[in-house]
Amino acid sequence: MKRILALIILLCFAAVGLGFAVLNAGDVHLNYYFGEAVIPLALVVVGALAVGALLGLVTAAGMLLARKHETNRLRRRLRLAEQEIQNIRELPVRDSR
């Protein structure tokens, strides 16, 4: 069911994007350091969206790696603490009389 819903949402976004591209078929003059180009407006918008999504993924990947590193560090500390507890439990009990 989730896959069908995701596919329907994806198709809706694709239809809106296609409609945007058709309605905004004008050209944009792009000036950059080494020259100039004439590019359709829809392509410029899609390119900006792609660059933004890429930057978001890079940022999210950095945060994910930091969390993964912290999780591994905490798991090591937990393993050591559990081992210490196990060692304490195995110590012989002395009578203090």
Side-chain angles (χ1 to χ4, degrees), residues 67-84:
R67 295 294 162 244
K68 196 171 201 174
H69 176 70
E70 184 176 0
T71 301
N72 288 336
R73 183 181 63 80
L74 291 172
R75 282 187 179 154
R76 277 192 305 272
R77 286 182 61 191
L78 176 63
R79 196 169 36 247
L80 289 172
E82 287 175 342
Q83 183 63 41
E84 187 175 343

Side-chain angles (χ1 to χ4, degrees), residues 6-75:
L7 181 62
I8 290 171
I9 291 171
L10 182 65
L11 288 175
C12 287
F13 277 122
V16 169
L18 183 63
F20 178 80
V22 169
L23 293 174
N24 295 295
D27 291 335
V28 174
H29 293 280
L30 182 65
N31 296 317
Y32 52 95
Y33 290 111
F34 304 113
E36 138 180 353
V38 177
I39 302 173
L41 175 63
L43 187 61
V44 171
V45 171
V46 168
L49 178 68
V51 169
L54 184 63
L55 289 174
L57 286 174
V58 168
T59 302
M63 292 188 317
L64 181 66
L65 288 175
R67 295 294 162 244
K68 196 171 201 174
H69 176 70
E70 184 176 0
T71 301
N72 288 336
R73 183 181 63 80
L74 291 172
R75 282 187 179 154

Side-chain angles (χ1 to χ4, degrees), residues 84-92:
E84 187 175 343
I85 290 171
Q86 187 63 31
N87 290 341
I88 291 171
R89 286 182 179 157
E90 292 175 355
L91 286 175

